[in-house]
Every structure is written in C-alpha cells, then in structure tokens.
Amino acid sequence: MLMLIRISLVIVVFSQQALSLEQPLDQNHFGQITFDSQKPLIESWISCFPDCSLQNNNSIEINNDKKKFLKILNSVGESLNNYTMTSQRSDDDFEVIYSANENLNQIPQIIFKKRVESDLLELIIQSNNQIEIQIDLDNLLSEEDIYGLGGIYNGGWLVRVSDQGVENLSILSESKTEADSWVGARTRFWSFLISSPNQEFYINEVDPSDTSLKIISMTEDGVHSFKLYFGPLNTKHLTQSDLKLTELMYTALWDWLRQLCFLIEWIFVSLLTIFGNPGIAILMLALILKVIIYPLNQIAEKWQNDVNIIQSSLQPQIDEIKSSYSGEEANSRIMKLYKDKSISPFYSIKSLFGFLIQIPIFIAVFDVLGESIHLLGQPFLFIDNLSKPDQWLDIPFFIPYFGSSFNLLPLLMMLISMISAYLYSDINMNIDLENKKKNHLYLMSLLFFILFFTFPSGMVLYWTSSNVLQLIRILYSKDLYPSSLFSKNR
C-alpha cells in the first residue's frame, strides 16, 4: 500500500511538471509580462526596483490598453493577426511562440523568450522579408513634474547606445544602427530599449515629440533577432543586462567625471546597505567626502591665506593709486607696485584652487543623487520623497519658477550658509576685505537658495549637511582661536 502511494505521488509530481511546461492558450501571464493570446503582442509589462518580489518597491507598467507600445509589421506595413499562441514554462523561464495560421502574413513565426538570470526579453522573428518594429512610448514611461531649474529632470527622450557612446535621437530622421547597439526611450529613472545582437537595422521616422520611432530589419538567413530591456536606470541592473548600457548613466559628463560618479555611487549604495535608510546614507556620504577631500582643503586654505595676506597688504596702496589716477596710468602704477613687491599680478588665482577641487565632487554628487532610483519614493524626516522637492507646505497660489508649494530644506540650507558667513573670520584679512568676503558669501547663499529651491530634496539634503559640517568646523576654529585673536592687526 505504501509503495502504491509513493508511485501515485511520483505520477502526480511529473504530471504537474508537464502541465507547467505546456501552458493552455488562455494562460498568457508570465510573471511581470502578459501576452496577447491571439496576436503577437505584449499586452503589459511591469518593471520593478529593486525587485518585484519585494513589498516595498517602485514599479512601472507599460500597457497596451493605453497604446500599442510595441508593434511588429510585415514588409508591406500590415499588422499581424490570425496567429496561434503556444507556450512553455520552466520555473521563471518561459518561451511564447506565435505561429501564423496562414502564409499571407509573410512572418510564419514569432518567439518571445525570457530567462530568469537575465532582465532581457528575447524576440525572434522568422521572415525572409523585411520587417518593421514600431516603438511608441509617449506617456507610458513615468516622467517627472518638477518646476523651476529642477525641471531638467522632466520628460523623456529617444536615445541610441553604441560603441561611440550615447546619442540623442531627436536630431535624426533616419539612421543605420550597428549590431549590438541599443535604441529606445528613457526618462530619469526608467528606459525601454531594443537591440539586435547579430545584424544591423535602420532607424526610421524618429518622432521625439511622441517618443516614438520605427525600426526596419533585413536579414539573409530569415531570422531577425532582438533583445528588449525594460527596467530601471541603475548601474547594477544595466551591468547585468549589457555592460554597454551603463553608458546611459551620467551621460552628460566627461569620462573621468563619470568614473568619479561611479565611485561616489558605490560609496552611497554601500552606505545605504549598511544603514538601510537613504536619508542617513546621504548624511554619511557628506561626512565621508568631507574627510576624503580634507587634505586638499588644507592645501587650498593655506594658499587662500597666502592670497589674503598679500591682498590685505596691497589693497590700501591699490585703492590710493585708483583714487589718484585712472585709466592706463593707474594700471601701469599698479603693475609697478606688483613688480616692486615681487608679486605676480595673477597671485589671486591660487585662491581659486579651493573652489576648483570641490567642483568635480559637487558635479558628481549632483548627478549621482539626481539620477539615483534608490531615492525614488523614499521618505526621510519631513520629506515624503527624496527624489523630488520636499514640498513641506502647499501654498494657495502658483509662483512662476517656484511652483505652488514651499520647500523647507532649501531655506534651512540658506540659513546655515548665512550663519557660517556671519561667523566667518580671517586673521590674514583687514576688516574691509573681510566684510567684502562676508557679503559675497551672503549673496552666494541666496543664489544657492534660488537655484536649489526646486531641486530634488536628496541633493539639497546633501548640500545642507555639507554646510552643517562646514559650520561645525567654523565653530570649532573659533573655540581654538578666541575672538580677541581675530581682532588683532585689524
């Protein structure tokens, strides 16, 4: 009896496995992808970050109920109908086969394949004739709605990724694309791209206003092979799919700056893994980067002090010359003053070093946090979404550039910067030059408030925390050097 039960169980298990491989025609759901049961169409496709199996994830869906985002046409531009769908599934791997019920379509078979170890969907079209693929993603890829300067993240655009880098397809009407190159559309966080691994194809009828394009494919062996990527613009996901796709990250920067971005991204993701909170990870990133560039800042401050000493010494004499002379005469006397003091007229350039060494870090952090999907929908303190302005308070009217909400974080950033400016002191400067420096810092604080007001709050949080660290350093310096010392030799 026990043996019969075991045999029965074995039969049941094998029969269930057989059923899982051969799906009935009405079974057209495969995880995050749903296929049309009668026509070779993808009905809907869901992509998630970091993973669709997790409860707390960000997801996006492109759906044929709104628009046919991917259409396959035969050589005379006809849509494909009258197909029979069969499918095979093994765990999360699947293969969907569309076989034509008649030969009038010129495309006897279309196959979609997906393997669990890859984020790519394979598309194989069997046809001895030219075929056409239409991609129309208008209003289907999630776009941002940020006002002001932060609006640089709004919208979507058509791109091509090749060995030459990333190109914006808006300027093209048609173009030949090499094998293994990718074309498609992207937004700030998501992209839909298509590539052919072994054949060239032609981009035809590019329409950037509708985020749509047409692809013409011709092949000698009758097999048109493509790879489809629909997913997040994230270095890890893109690398796993195709290393070439990482060109989509930080595309506007020089290559050495992009490498700096990847380093800062690695630090940020590592901190996020440790602390589990993107807001805390940003605070720690600001601290770590301050520590890393501390030796360079020390050199920059020494050079700045040298410039301040020279400037404080020369400024009274320069002011006297300018009050007594003008034009060429004043310039010649100032140049003679520099010569007599054995000082280069370009001595003040040294003071730019401290500013210049921070620019690459600032640009890299700006891009990393601006493009990081890790911040999408993530709250921190009073911030609901670190990928958008904090929108602390809604206001009952619309202000051009600023929008219809008040953002608290840029105000805190400005106030902290102004406090630092107020406390600023330099024993190497006379009082007039120091006041000019303070006024310059006040102006910069106000300017950054305006520029950053509509930026994503994750970026503003980094800059605010960086300013807090600078304020702490100033307060620490004042404890080391009492105010009486700062007033000497003024």
Side-chain angles (χ1 to χ4, degrees):
M1 185 66 180
L2 184 60
M3 181 61 68
L4 288 174
I5 293 174
R6 287 178 177 176
I7 293 173
S8 299
L9 287 173
V10 169
I11 293 173
V12 168
V13 169
F14 273 97
S15 64
Q16 289 297 319
Q17 288 181 348
L19 286 172
S20 68
L21 286 174
E22 293 294 335
Q23 299 293 321
L25 295 182
D26 59 351
Q27 188 70 25
N28 59 347
H29 300 276
F30 297 85
Q32 282 69 56
I33 307 179
T34 303
F35 294 90
D36 191 294
S37 59
Q38 296 179 340
K39 294 179 290 186
L41 287 174
I42 300 174
E43 284 191 343
S44 69
W45 192 346
I46 299 172
S47 180
C48 307
F49 180 84
D51 193 301
C52 286
S53 63
L54 302 176
Q55 285 188 343
N56 296 324
N57 63 57
N58 289 291
S59 63
I60 181 174
E61 178 182 6
I62 45 180
N63 196 308
N64 255 339
D65 291 340
K66 298 179 180 178
K67 183 182 295 183
K68 290 181 173 60
F69 59 88
L70 179 71
K71 291 195 295 184
I72 303 170
L73 308 178
N74 60 22
S75 61
V76 294
E78 297 174 338
S79 297
L80 306 183
N81 298 291
N82 198 13
Y83 278 76
T84 299
M85 172 187 164
T86 58
S87 61
Q88 292 183 334
R89 175 184 289 172
S90 176
D91 297 326
D92 290 329
D93 294 353
F94 67 80
E95 180 177 279
V96 175
I97 303 170
Y98 289 94
S99 301
N101 295 325
E102 54 187 34
N103 295 326
L104 298 177
N105 285 291
Q106 301 177 348
I107 302 179
Q109 194 172 73
I110 297 174
I111 302 171
F112 293 92
K113 289 183 179 181
K114 179 73 170 63
R115 295 181 174 86
V116 68
E117 68 272 9
S118 173
D119 289 331
L120 302 178
L121 177 66
E122 297 178 48
L123 170 60
I124 302 169
I125 303 171
Q126 295 182 4
S127 176
N128 293 320
N129 303 98
Q130 169 184 299
I131 61 105
E132 180 179 306
I133 297 177
Q134 293 183 0
I135 299 173
D136 190 350
L137 299 169
D138 187 33
N139 298 322
L140 293 179
L141 288 178
S142 177
E143 300 179 2
E144 304 299 308
D145 56 351
I146 304 175
Y147 290 105
L149 195 59
I152 59 175
Y153 295 109
N154 297 340
W157 54 99
L158 298 171
V159 294
R160 173 169 57 191
V161 186
S162 63
D163 292 332
Q164 287 71 46
V166 178
E167 301 170 83
N168 191 326
L169 295 184
S170 302
I171 59 175
L172 297 178
S173 58
E174 60 180 69
S175 173
K176 183 170 75 172
T177 297
E178 300 173 351
D180 274 333
S181 296
W182 293 84
V183 296
R186 66 160 293 175
T187 58
R188 181 183 175 193
F189 294 126
W190 306 95
S191 66
F192 184 95
L193 301 156
I194 184 169
S195 173
S196 181
N198 53 17
Q199 69 202 39
E200 295 179 342
F201 56 90
Y202 291 84
I203 303 172
N204 196 20
E205 296 185 29
V206 175
D207 190 343
S209 63
D210 288 335
T211 323
S212 64
L213 56 86
K214 294 181 181 178
I215 293 172
I216 304 296
S217 174
M218 294 171 285
T219 180
E220 295 180 357
D221 61 2
V223 178
H224 306 258
S225 298
F226 298 93
K227 297 179 293 185
L228 305 179
Y229 175 82
F230 173 49
L233 286 171
N234 172 261
T235 301
K236 180 180 178 181
H237 284 74
L238 296 174
T239 302
Q240 290 174 345
S241 299
D242 187 340
L243 187 60
K244 187 180 294 182
L245 288 178
T246 57
E247 293 288 336
L248 288 167
M249 302 298 295
Y250 322 120
T251 56
L253 304 179
W254 292 311
D255 189 62
W256 66 272
L257 261 179
R258 291 184 66 244
Q259 300 310 314
L260 180 59
C261 286
F262 287 124
L263 173 61
I264 291 176
E265 179 190 353
W266 176 79
I267 296 173
F268 172 65
V269 173
S270 299
L271 292 170
L272 184 57
T273 303
I274 294 171
F275 295 101
N277 184 294
I280 296 176
I282 291 173
L283 299 181
M284 295 304 300
L285 178 66
L287 176 61
I288 288 174
L289 292 182
K290 279 285 186 184
V291 172
I292 290 175
I293 66 173
Y294 179 77
L296 293 175
N297 278 336
Q298 287 294 95
I299 296 173
E301 286 186 10
K302 180 181 181 304
W303 288 4
Q304 180 66 61
N305 289 336
D306 293 341
V307 170
N308 291 342
I309 292 171
I310 295 172
Q311 197 170 17
S312 296
S313 173
L314 293 181
Q315 196 63 44
Q317 300 175 64
I318 292 175
D319 291 341
E320 184 178 345
I321 292 173
K322 288 183 176 180
S323 64
S324 303
Y325 304 93
S326 61
E328 187 64 31
E329 180 66 18
N331 289 333
S332 62
R333 287 180 176 271
I334 291 174
M335 294 302 294
K336 184 176 184 303
L337 175 64
Y338 288 143
K339 185 176 181 180
D340 292 342
K341 298 286 188 179
S342 300
I343 296 172
S344 169
F346 306 105
Y347 74 93
S348 60
I349 292 178
K350 290 175 64 175
S351 64
L352 294 175
F353 179 73
F355 178 68
L356 292 176
I357 63 173
Q358 295 186 56
I359 287 180
I361 299 292
F362 173 76
I363 293 175
V365 173
F366 180 95
D367 275 69
V368 168
L369 297 182
E371 296 185 24
S372 178
I373 197 171
H374 291 282
L375 303 184
L376 180 59
Q378 296 299 313
F380 181 67
L381 300 178
F382 59 88
I383 304 167
D384 292 330
N385 186 346
L386 283 166
S387 70
K388 291 189 174 184
D390 62 74
Q391 299 176 333
W392 180 64
L393 180 67
D394 291 331
I395 54 180
F397 49 87
F398 178 83
I399 304 175
Y401 179 86
F402 294 98
S404 57
S405 62
F406 180 78
N407 303 320
L408 178 61
L409 199 54
L411 177 63
L412 296 177
M413 178 190 71
M414 181 184 70
L415 293 176
I416 292 168
S417 297
M418 287 190 168
I419 293 172
S420 297
Y422 176 78
L423 296 174
Y424 177 81
S425 296
D426 194 328
I427 59 176
N428 300 308
M429 277 185 172
N430 60 44
I431 192 67
D432 291 334
L433 287 175
E434 187 175 287
N435 287 335
K436 287 182 180 179
K437 178 73 172 179
K438 286 187 175 184
N439 290 334
H440 175 73
L441 293 174
Y442 290 141
L443 181 62
M444 290 294 293
S445 300
L446 179 60
L447 179 62
F448 269 78
F449 169 76
I450 296 173
L451 291 177
F452 274 47
F453 188 80
T454 58
F455 274 2
S457 54
M459 296 164 56
V460 186
L461 178 62
Y462 170 84
W463 200 248
T464 303
S465 56
S466 183
N467 288 346
V468 169
L469 294 172
Q470 181 65 20
L471 176 59
I472 292 172
R473 187 181 178 194
I474 290 174
L475 293 172
Y476 177 74
S477 298
K478 280 191 169 292
D479 288 338
L480 290 180
Y481 305 103
S483 58
S484 59
L485 180 60
F486 284 99
S487 63
K488 289 178 72 174
N489 300 324
R490 294 296 179 93

